[in-house]
Amino acid sequence: MRVRVPDLLQGKPGRFALEECADCRHVFQNPRLTPDGLDFYYRDFYDGRGGEGAGTVFGRLGASYRKRAEMLRPHTVDAPASWLDVGTGHGHFCNAARAVWPDTRFDGLDMGDGVGEAERRGWVETGFQGQFPEFAQKLAGRYEVVSMYHYLEHTRDPLAELDTAAAVLAPGGFLAIELPDPQSRMARLLGSAWLPWFQPQHQHLIPASNLREALADRGFTVLAEEHGPAHQGNDFFGAVALTTTRLAPDPDRPWAPPATRRGRVLAHAVRAAALPCFAGAAALDALRTALVRRTDGGNAYRLLARRDDDRLPTTVGEDR
């Protein structure tokens, strides 16, 4: 077992185990949540009670979104006509990527209600709500680019998602993927306080070598791989935040027992004591980010692949 943790993000009930395959190092949630369980833990995080906070965080990542979009530049002469962002959330990436590709049509797909808001805002041309494999036939061959930024780790069957991406891409189309790296040194150092474990929402954490192999099996050629540029500078800050939440969960969270005076005092004291730790963590993250950008290490990686042929699995999700 790699880690076993409670819900450190929202303090909802339950404990979750991540196992690691001894052969390929794939890390997976075991047992994995049911679809109803996922709905319970997603609720109030990206929408509802936590929607405003999540929107604020995503709204600050414009520079990172543009760098993701720019990864395609060395590999194409013309701007792509159509781009589907899978797991688009509220459409922040698509809105930012227009600065890089102003003539591209950006559509978004997500299981949450935010994709409808993204369409109303004009951040995506068309928003599709639901599970990606459900759209394999409807969207077959429609897109020149499909992106999955910090999406595959949330899915119940990553191979089915890759099959669907192959189906909706036109021959010669591009697939862009960004994922947390379970082989990051910080994953070992910080243990259960490593933020990208992100339990219980992350169900699969895939080493880059495994993803390259899965893409090759589906007729893709990997054109570029980035580690340092994909790093998200939040290892130490995230560890402090998760530890603080673990010691002093929000006393007003609606799924918890009624808060007591003692509980409120304890939560306030822990959060006050954590303030200098947050300041130190932010400084360490800034230093680490500068180092990993030079050494090409970090806590995440990006791949850009091209679909080179028409080979598709007989059934979406079939392991070949």
Side-chain angles (χ1 to χ4, degrees):
M1 183 181 298
R2 189 72 183 265
V3 294
R4 184 175 178 85
V5 293
D7 176 8
L8 300 178
L9 303 172
Q10 300 182 91
K12 291 184 176 181
R15 292 185 68 84
F16 312 94
L18 287 172
E19 306 275 2
E20 182 177 73
C21 175
D23 293 327
C24 72
R25 302 303 180 189
H26 180 99
V27 177
F28 56 98
Q29 189 183 79
N30 185 31
R32 64 180 180 177
L33 289 176
T34 65
D36 287 342
L38 280 172
D39 180 68
F40 173 73
Y41 288 102
Y42 272 77
R43 195 182 310 145
D44 298 307
F45 193 87
Y46 299 104
D47 298 299
R49 189 171 188 264
E52 183 176 349
T56 299
V57 171
F58 296 142
R60 293 173 178 170
L61 300 177
S64 177
Y65 296 146
R66 289 188 289 273
K67 288 177 182 177
R68 291 173 182 173
E70 288 168 354
M71 191 177 184
L72 183 63
R73 280 198 183 280
H75 305 284
T76 184
V77 175
D78 300 318
S82 55
W83 187 314
L84 177 66
D85 186 42
V86 182
T88 197
H90 292 76
H92 289 85
F93 165 75
C94 296
N95 188 46
R98 282 197 180 87
V100 181
W101 303 105
D103 297 324
T104 299
R105 173 193 173 96
F106 286 92
D107 294 340
L109 185 148
D110 200 275
M111 62 182 289
D113 296 335
V115 69
E117 180 62 24
E119 184 176 336
R120 288 189 289 273
R121 289 174 176 173
W123 290 6
V124 300
E125 294 292 330
T126 301
F128 302 101
Q129 186 171 3
Q131 301 289 340
F132 189 32
E134 297 171 357
F135 291 87
Q137 292 185 345
K138 179 179 180 180
L139 303 180
R142 184 181 296 189
Y143 290 97
E144 295 182 22
V145 183
V146 169
S147 55
M148 298 174 167
Y149 299 121
H150 290 274
Y151 166 76
L152 272 183
E153 63 268 33
H154 292 265
T155 64
R156 290 173 58 78
D157 186 350
L159 297 181
E161 304 289 335
L162 295 179
D163 290 340
T164 305
V168 306
L169 279 169
F174 298 93
L175 176 60
I177 299 174
E178 184 171 304
L179 287 167
D181 187 352
Q183 297 181 310
S184 167
R185 292 185 182 91
M186 287 294 105
R188 298 287 182 186
L189 176 66
L190 297 175
S192 62
W194 189 54
L195 183 61
W197 293 135
F198 219 70
Q199 288 303 290
Q201 296 186 23
H202 286 181
Q203 299 187 71
H204 294 275
L205 290 100
I206 309 169
S209 58
N210 294 10
L211 182 57
R212 289 195 299 270
E213 181 178 351
L215 289 170
D217 287 345
R218 286 154 178 81
F220 286 94
T221 298
V222 174
L223 303 175
E225 180 175 335
E226 298 178 347
H227 287 254
H231 175 73
Q232 297 187 324
N234 54 22
D235 283 325
F236 293 106
F237 195 93
V240 172
L242 291 181
T243 302
T244 301
T245 302
R246 190 171 197 165
L247 294 174
D250 178 5
D252 295 318
R253 63 198 191 282
W255 44 84
T260 63
R261 177 178 176 80
R262 182 177 178 275
R264 290 185 184 278
V265 170
L266 177 62
H268 179 76
V270 170
R271 293 174 185 182
L275 289 177
C277 298
F278 278 113
L284 286 173
D285 278 327
L287 176 61
R288 173 165 164 73
T289 297
L291 290 174
V292 301
R293 295 284 165 80
R294 293 186 177 186
T295 61
D296 206 33
N299 58 16
Y301 66 92
R302 296 176 191 144
L303 292 181
L304 179 69
R306 182 180 59 226
R307 185 189 153 204
D308 287 333
D309 57 37
D310 293 324
R311 290 186 296 119
L312 292 175
T314 306
T315 303
V316 168
E318 177 185 340
D319 189 13
R320 296 179 296 156

